[in-house]
Amino acid sequence: MSMAHHRHRFPILIILVLLVNFASCTSPNRLPEAKYVFYFIGDGMGVQQVALAQAYLAAKNQQPGNAKLSFTQFPVTGLAETFAQNRYITGSAAAGTALSTGYKTSINTIGLNYNHTDTLYSIAHYAKRAGFNVGIATSVSIDHATPAAFYAHQPSRNMYHQIGHDLVKAGYRFYGSGGFKDPEGESSKNPMGSVIDKGEEFGFLFTSNLSLHDSLLNNHSSIVFSGSKSAKGSSIKYSIDTDSTDVTLADITRLGIDVLMNPEGFFFMIEGGKIDWACHDNDAATTVHEIIAFDDAIEVALEFYRKYPNETLIVVTADHETGGMSIGNREYQYESNVALLAKQKHSLEELNTVFRAFKESHAGKPSFDKAIAFLSSDQVVGLSFQDIDKRYLDELKLAYNASVALQTPEQIKANKEKYGSKDPMAVTSVRILNHMAGIGWTSFSHTASHVPVYANGSGQNLFSGQMDNTDIPKSIAKAMGLRFTGSK
């Protein structure tokens, strides 16, 4: 073969190699690395809760089937297993650690392995180390189990004071929530001094202002937002109980984006924490409103995504399902009327407060008829209990006696097992409304149901199909181009 022939052949080979490389880089199956990442966790939000919110919105508008939530329209969906290292039905600490570090751990453990012999580091830790701004937000307290799993390392989720100090050590750019549960160490066996004072030493700004000037942002290393009107447990109010002056999860998400935005990118975890609380109460109406509020926060992220579609990833999932909810129950069988939930005007938590205040205004013992009239008003539950099935009136009479009559210690114990810590009349009213709407509950605790996963944006195809909860942070890290091992 002549030398001239070789000279013609080599340029052709080089061109072919370049064309192959170019094609692989521009393949439609290869998305750019995610620069802006939103990781939404609906605490307690199973497939059933999502379906109920969709059914409620459709029924309220007199439409058949399901309405659309922003995240149910994401192009990629999957299912995640939730079991913990030492129990099939998980808890928020173990599940949060799995969702943040990619490792299973034991119940109540935050950021440590199952026997507390090794430290586990979250994807947020790795994102910060790689130069991303990091934000953690929630509708509950910032030292609660799920947000804590992204920055803390403690053997018990109940070590709120120590978790608060871990927040300062992590030094993320933004934290947003209803507040802290034990910032001064008043409930701690080993107080470490004020979390607020320690944070200010490191240049933290603690604020309840949703509007921050650039000068404040530039002069502080971390921004810690807490709602000024915190509800029980240092949370923001249930959505069903809010008015126009109350902070929402969407507000916190919007503030977080303003604080985190920079040319290097960010990682932002946002938790809808009170979905779980409402489900623990078996309170369907409040659950629906919490999922809608969670969806509102996701819509804020979608607004951002529409500006940066090639660089943004949004992942939505849950840590576990709570309550064993069903749409359909034994008595009503194939019938449901979820639009009835619109009659409930308060969360069970608030209804408990409202009804107890009503009792006090009647010297602790209103008549049964007055109690029923109060609960059936349009501003409370809105059902005319006199017109419903007699079995419900019997339930209400039992609840009334438990609520107003003097009780023996044995009766008090039995009532607590039946009604929990809230007023029996309030609890029973919500139970009846749920029942008539066709909602069923099997538990006041968590279940082992798989939870949904939704993804949209750069790297979305990594979240398709059935996966373990530990796979989710690993897939997010892959989409971001992060080295992620879970240990330092």
Side-chain angles (χ1 to χ4, degrees), residues 130-189:
F132 292 85
N133 272 350
V134 173
I136 306 295
T138 178
S139 57
V140 295
S141 66
I142 196 63
D143 46 15
H144 218 255
T146 303
F150 285 82
Y151 62 79
H153 312 280
Q154 296 296 338
S156 171
R157 60 172 292 176
N158 297 318
M159 298 173 69
Y160 297 108
H161 181 60
Q162 286 73 21
I163 287 170
H165 278 277
D166 281 350
L167 177 150
V168 175
K169 288 179 188 175
Y172 296 160
R173 178 63 175 146
F174 176 75
Y175 302 93
S177 72
F180 292 83
K181 285 180 71 74
D182 189 19
E184 302 302 320
E186 295 172 355
S187 302
S188 174
K189 293 179 180 178

Side-chain angles (χ1 to χ4, degrees), residues 136-342:
I136 306 295
T138 178
S139 57
V140 295
S141 66
I142 196 63
D143 46 15
H144 218 255
T146 303
F150 285 82
Y151 62 79
H153 312 280
Q154 296 296 338
S156 171
R157 60 172 292 176
N158 297 318
M159 298 173 69
Y160 297 108
H161 181 60
Q162 286 73 21
I163 287 170
H165 278 277
D166 281 350
L167 177 150
V168 175
K169 288 179 188 175
Y172 296 160
R173 178 63 175 146
F174 176 75
Y175 302 93
S177 72
F180 292 83
K181 285 180 71 74
D182 189 19
E184 302 302 320
E186 295 172 355
S187 302
S188 174
K189 293 179 180 178
N190 300 297
M192 302 167 63
S194 169
V195 171
I196 311 300
D197 290 347
K198 181 59 68 174
E200 288 177 344
E201 285 180 28
F202 284 91
F204 281 41
L205 173 66
F206 295 86
T207 182
S208 295
N209 194 340
L210 282 168
S211 180
L212 300 174
H213 295 295
D214 288 344
S215 59
L216 282 174
L217 297 178
N218 295 335
N219 291 327
H220 292 88
S221 60
S222 297
I223 306 298
V224 184
F225 172 85
S226 299
S228 59
K229 296 166 65 177
S230 290
K232 184 178 179 182
S234 298
S235 63
I236 64 174
K237 284 185 181 179
Y238 278 118
S239 179
I240 196 173
D241 296 326
T242 56
D243 59 36
S244 60
T245 67
D246 290 304
V247 171
T248 67
L249 189 61
D251 292 332
I252 295 174
T253 302
R254 194 171 286 110
L255 174 62
I257 292 172
D258 290 344
V259 174
L260 296 171
M261 186 60 185
N262 78 104
E264 302 305 316
F266 60 71
F267 170 88
F268 193 8
M269 191 288 292
I270 304 106
E271 181 203 22
K274 295 186 84 166
I275 300 169
D276 174 68
W277 293 16
C279 290
H280 276 296
D281 279 343
N282 287 182
D283 183 351
T286 301
T287 299
V288 164
H289 283 271
E290 285 304 295
I291 289 177
I292 293 170
F294 185 57
D295 188 57
D296 289 343
I298 295 168
E299 183 57 43
V300 173
L302 275 169
E303 291 170 9
F304 181 93
Y305 163 81
R306 293 179 190 113
K307 296 176 185 176
Y308 306 96
N310 296 323
E311 301 172 292
T312 303
L313 171 64
I314 306 173
V315 177
V316 181
T317 190
D319 53 353
H320 52 72
E321 192 274 342
T322 302
M325 175 193 281
S326 66
I327 305 175
N329 57 36
R330 185 178 292 109
E331 286 76 10
Y332 283 83
Q333 298 179 6
Y334 299 103
E335 298 298 322
S336 64
N337 186 8
V338 294
L340 279 177
L341 298 177

